[in-house]
């Protein structure tokens, strides 16, 4: 690498991430984006302007030191870049793949004002993959923290980063997960062709190596209540239970066989691995699949349906510009031959006498005035109804907060199912904090992580204040 | 670790398992269920909790070997561990003091009736159980039922014990002048549907404990949805018990056959026939 600084070259074209050929993606969970090759890394890292005032760092909800890690990469120090990211995030391999960089750091990147922004996400991912291949980041001997006990409910990104922060502060951290696998949406929702499970599991193993304890098959509110956790000596609780409650379309025929929510469809395939012959969990994917919706779940469901041999259409009531999924996924879906039918919505589903889906009635829409989300609202066009033959329908129209814990804990104040928190991240129960999708409704990995980090700070402050006061009960804690 | 402490073969197809699960044992209530996976490749299946001993830290469940996953569960031995077990799930059964309660169970549902019948009795009711089996030899948990209820009547399809006929025919024959104040039914869908239509005529409030296909059991997939009173409900979190007079049993029966073809394939490909006598 030498001492001479390599020359920056912002005008070099943004490097394209190599992908698995579209023709080879059928019926495989293999990762589509294969990641930068070595030569591209240098070029891309040297595109970075190394701005004095790095707006990308401000734009990242975790304020990852993007400038510093890219600088190390530009100097050929990939291991050092990985270390830099790992100071702030337990999930470089995950975020490098699934974070919506185009909405945060890459959107802010100054280079993007005139040229294409630096491919920050792909660089982040490269560091993680490099470290993994080099056998780094496996976490050394198992640490044994000795501080106060803290319970984190749910094992999605919000809880995982809270675990990372708290265990490094010396707390004894236990994560309780309802399902038999860890990771939240990263495990049951996002397909392995976007996030290979080795990557996810290795980053989780690192947390285990740092001393975080994991309890699977543990449903807080059912297996034990929050009060019981306190009675067992936990001094604070963080709720990161996500937004796992699927919305239904509310149209006739919704309970026919072959109509799935995206959550059921993806859980069967990702979590239960229905795509593998050896797995006993079935999934019914017919000849023609219609996926309803325009977010990440819709793309993921459509791309699985296609991989499992179905002619697949995404039906979305707005236009392409209003799709909410990551742009890369939309492009990959298009490459894979998934059809998009924009400006149309389902009205009714038909079935045969045994209850299997046979057809879908739809209606065309036009875009009207902006709605509460700021996007143009779709308005049905009278008389534009049409029908299509289908045998699988997947409703990917959004999710609400997972209600199990709230139901078992009436003291928790909620607003339409979402747990309400104050400025410090604390809920209506003292010592109980919350963040991520269960507070925001469906959101993104990085915002969930931002919340988890903020809650970890708040928990630390609250416990320290409590210790300083020498009081442990019945007091207001840090604002 | 969820280790199997006791295994009892009740009939050639039905097995009782007592398993360590201290937290579930502490918190369960009659009507709750658990989700298990007997092997790391298995589906997640729901099983009703039949009994629980908080002191010993164990729960008891009864499984009928009819598909691959239930066959694998039934084939587990004492000392084996169940890799995944989560619960207690669902809402507990509605237990009130109404005077006279009728508990109706068919097949493996008889085992699931046991804790609910006991709870009604402890609540101060006179409890009659009407239970069905194909023949005398296939009657299960007779002593347990006798202890948990005030009277237990059996119906067998071949008349080899008790009433000759099915449970609904026995209910008609049995009907007292003053009908019971509440009825709880659990068993095969056709049985529950027939019980519901009879007790609608009787005008007696009836609850049915439903058994739709489930995956997570925590309200996150909607695979367990059933229509009750024209509304879609998630059985794993809002049930499994619902007002039997409002349940769309036809839809439930259809949805439970969604994977019948695939199940048949799996069962036939599965070498383990243990428990099938
Ligand atoms: C299919 C799909 C694809 C997505 N793709 C992207 C993407 O590409 N990029 C992106 O940024 N965002 C994406 N999102 C959104 C993102 O995944 C979520 O915003 C994020 O995972 C929320 O994190 P969380 O930690 O709040 O909760 P979750 O990830 O939802 O995790 C919550 C966990 O808590 C568990 N739990 C619930 N209740 C209990 C209880 N009572 N006790 C114990 N455990 C409990 C659940 O089982 C779950 O595992 C996607 C979402 C979906 C559904
Ligand atoms: S089993 Fe998934 S929601 Fe009930």
């Amino acid at each position: 690498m030498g001492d001479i600084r390599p020359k920056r070259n912002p005008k070099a074209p943004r490097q394209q991430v190599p992908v698995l050929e579209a023709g080879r993606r059928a019926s495989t969970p293999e990762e589509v984006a294969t990641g930068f090759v070595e030569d591209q890394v240098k070029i891309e890292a040297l595109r970075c302007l190394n701005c004095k005032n790095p707006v990308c760092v401000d734009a990242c909800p975790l304020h990852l030191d993007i400038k510093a890690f890219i600088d190390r990469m530009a100097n050929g120090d990939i291991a050092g870049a990985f270390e830099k990211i790992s100071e702030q995030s337990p999930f470089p391999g995950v975020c490098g793949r699934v974070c919506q960089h185009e909405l945060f750091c890459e959107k802010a990147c100054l280079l993007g004002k005139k040229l294409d922004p630096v491919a920050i996400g792909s660089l982040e991912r490269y560091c993680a993959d490099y470290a993994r291949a080099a056998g780094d980041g496996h976490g050394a001997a198992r640490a044994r923290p000795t501080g106060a006990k803290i319970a984190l409910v749910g094992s999605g990104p919000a809880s995982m980063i809270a675990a990372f922060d708290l265990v490094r502060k010396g707390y004894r951290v236990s994560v309780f997960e309802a399902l038999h696998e860890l990771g939240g949406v990263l495990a049951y929702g996002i397909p392995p062709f976007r996030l290979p499970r080795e990557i996810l599991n290795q980053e989780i193993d690192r947390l285990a190596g740092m001393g975080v304890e994991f309890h699977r098959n543990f449903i807080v509110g059912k297996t034990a209540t929050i009060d019981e956790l306190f009675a067992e000596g936990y001094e604070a609780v963080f709720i990161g239970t996500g937004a796992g409650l699927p919305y239904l379309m509310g149209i006739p025929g919704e309970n026919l066989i072959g109509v799935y929510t995206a959550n059921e469809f993806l859980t069967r395939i990702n979590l239960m691995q229905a795509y593998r012959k050896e797995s006993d969990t079935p999934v019914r994917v017919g000849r023609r699949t219609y996926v309803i919706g325009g977010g990440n779940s819709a793309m993921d469901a459509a791309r699985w349906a296609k991989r499992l041999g179905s002619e697949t259409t995404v039906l979305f009531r707005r236009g392409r510009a209003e799709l909410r999924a990551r742009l890369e996924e939309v492009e990959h879906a298009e490459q894979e031959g998934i059809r998009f039918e924009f400006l149309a919505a389902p009205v009714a589903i038909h079935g045969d006498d045994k209850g299997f889906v046979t057809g879908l009635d739809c209606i065309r829409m036009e875009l009207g005035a902006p709605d509460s989300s700021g996007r143009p609202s779709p308005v049905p066009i009278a008389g534009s109804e049409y029908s299509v033959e289908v045998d699988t329908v997947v409703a990917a129209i959004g999710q609400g907060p997972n209600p199990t814990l709230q139901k078992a804990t009436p003291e928790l104040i909620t607003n339409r199912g979402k747990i309400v928190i104050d400025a410090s991240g604390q809920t209506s129960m003292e010592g109980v904090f919350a963040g991520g999708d269960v507070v925001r409704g469906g959101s993104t990995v990085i915002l969930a992580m931002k919340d988890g980090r903020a809650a970890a700070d708040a928990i630390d402050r609250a416990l320290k204040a409590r210790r300083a006061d020498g009081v442990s009960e019945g007091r207001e804690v840090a604002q | 670790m969820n280790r199997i402490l006791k295994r009892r073969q009740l009939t050639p197809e039905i097995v009782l398992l007592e398993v360590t699960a201290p937290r579930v044992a502490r918190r369960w209530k009659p009507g709750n269920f658990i989700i298990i996976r007997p092997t790391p490749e298995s589906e997640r299946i729901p099983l009703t909790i039949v009994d629980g001993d908080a002191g010993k830290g164990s729960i008891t469940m009864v499984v009928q070997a009819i598909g691959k996953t239930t066959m694998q569960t039934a084939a587990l031995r004492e000392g084996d561990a169940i890799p995944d077990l989560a619960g207690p799930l669902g809402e507990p059964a509605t237990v009130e003091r109404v005077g006279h309660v009728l508990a109706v169970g068919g097949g493996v549902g008889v085992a699931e009736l046991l804790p609910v019948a006991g709870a009604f009795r402890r609540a101060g009711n006179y409890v009659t159980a009407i239970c069905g089996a194909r023949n005398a030899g296939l009657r299960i948990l007779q002593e347990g039922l006798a202890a948990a209820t005030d009277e237990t009547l059996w119906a067998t399809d071949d008349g080899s014990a008790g009433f000759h006929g099915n449970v609904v025919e026995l209910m008609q024959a049995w009907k007292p002048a003053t009908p019971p104040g509440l009825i709880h039914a659990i068993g095969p869908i056709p049985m529950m549907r027939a019980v519901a239509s009879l007790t609608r005529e009787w005008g007696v409030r009836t609850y049915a404990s439903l058994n739709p296909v489930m995956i997570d059991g925590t309200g996150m997939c909607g695979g367990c949805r059933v229509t009750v009173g024209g509304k879609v409900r998630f059985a794993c979190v809002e049930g499994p018990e619902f007002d039997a007079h409002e349940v769309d049993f036809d839809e439930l029966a259809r949805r439970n056959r969604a994977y019948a073809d695939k199940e048949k394939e799996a069962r036939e490909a599965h070498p383990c026939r243990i428990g099938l006598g």
Side-chain angles (χ1 to χ4, degrees), chain A residues 15 36-46 126:
Chain A
Q15 298 298 296
F36 279 165
V37 295
E38 204 179 331
D39 296 345
Q40 293 181 292
V41 173
K42 203 73 181 247
I43 302 173
E44 192 60 37
L46 285 170
Y126 186 86

Side-chain angles (χ1 to χ4, degrees), chain A residues 98 100 153-158 176-179 184-185 189-190 194 218-220 240-243 266 296-297 300 326 399 402 405 436-437 443-445 448:
Chain A
V98 306
Q100 299 196 266
V153 187
S155 66
F176 297 95
E177 168 56 50
L179 295 171
V185 170
I190 296 185
R194 287 214 281 136
F218 196 118
I219 305 134
V220 177
T241 48
L266 291 170
N296 283 311
S297 304
D300 289 341
R326 292 176 80 229
Q399 277 135 246
N402 206 311
L405 180 57
D437 279 5
S443 166
T444 60
V445 169

Side-chain angles (χ1 to χ4, degrees), chain B residues 77-147:
Chain B
R77 301 278 146 202
E78 285 176 11
D80 286 353
I82 298 182
D84 296 300
L85 185 158
L89 296 167
E91 290 292 320
T94 309
V95 176
E96 293 167 20
R97 181 170 180 172
V98 294
H100 184 188
V101 171
L102 172 64
V104 188
V108 72
V110 169
E112 299 162 350
L113 209 56
L114 205 60
V116 179
F120 274 116
R121 192 138 181 263
R122 282 192 301 280
N125 296 287
Y126 182 90
V127 179
T128 304
I130 289 190
C131 301
R134 285 208 302 279
N135 61 48
L138 296 179
R139 286 175 299 166
I140 57 172
L141 302 171
Q142 290 181 68
E143 291 121 66
L145 275 166

Side-chain angles (χ1 to χ4, degrees), chain A residues 27 47 59 155 252 301 348 412 446 460:
Chain A
S27 64
R47 292 182 68 233
S155 66
L412 275 177
I446 198 72
D460 184 43

Side-chain angles (χ1 to χ4, degrees), chain B residues 213-224 234-237:
Chain B
V213 173
M214 291 190 189
I215 308 177
D216 56 295
T218 65
M220 160 219 136
C221 75
C224 63
F234 287 11
C236 70
V237 286

Side-chain angles (χ1 to χ4, degrees), chain A residues 266-444:
Chain A
L266 291 170
T267 298
R268 282 181 178 275
I269 306 175
N270 294 327
L271 181 74
M272 306 308 297
Q273 307 190 349
Y275 65 88
R276 285 173 60 241
K277 233 187 19 267
E278 298 80 7
S279 164
D280 291 335
T281 301
V283 67
R284 198 165 261 295
V285 182
R287 275 182 315 104
R288 286 189 84 190
T289 301
Y290 263 60
V291 177
I292 320 297
N296 283 311
S297 304
M299 289 317 120
D300 289 341
R303 295 176 68 197
W304 258 131
K306 181 76 188 179
R307 279 170 174 67
L308 297 175
S310 195
E311 189 189 301
T312 305
T313 302
V314 171
L315 188 78
F316 184 48
R317 58 195 184 133
R318 305 176 206 245
R320 188 176 190 279
E322 284 81 34
L323 286 170
R324 286 207 189 204
R326 292 176 80 229
L327 190 59
E328 190 187 8
E329 314 314 331
V330 176
E331 287 166 3
H332 288 167
E334 287 167 343
Q335 290 162 11
E336 288 159 19
I338 288 162
R339 268 188 63 233
F340 284 81
E341 216 163 289
F342 293 112
L343 292 168
V347 219
I349 310 170
H350 300 289
D352 63 18
D353 54 356
K354 293 211 170 95
F356 288 85
V357 171
T358 55
L360 181 67
D361 293 346
C362 310
I363 187 163
R364 305 235 179 255
M365 313 290 270
E366 59 192 350
L367 293 181
D371 63 10
S372 57
S373 73
R375 299 184 299 173
S377 61
V379 185
I381 304 174
S384 70
E385 292 83 354
Y386 65 100
S387 302
V388 287
E389 261 178 48
V390 294
D391 34 27
T392 306
V393 176
V394 181
I397 56 166
Q399 277 135 246
N402 206 311
T404 315
L405 180 57
Q406 288 87 310
K407 220 170 149 184
T409 322
E411 309 91 288
L412 275 177
I413 294 180
T414 57
N415 172 17
R416 282 181 290 144
K418 291 187 260 192
I419 296 180
V420 176
I421 55 174
D422 65 15
S424 76
Q426 189 168 231
T427 66
S428 51
M429 288 172 79
E430 166 147 11
V432 179
F433 297 75
D437 279 5
V438 74
V439 167
R440 294 174 180 266
S443 166
T444 60

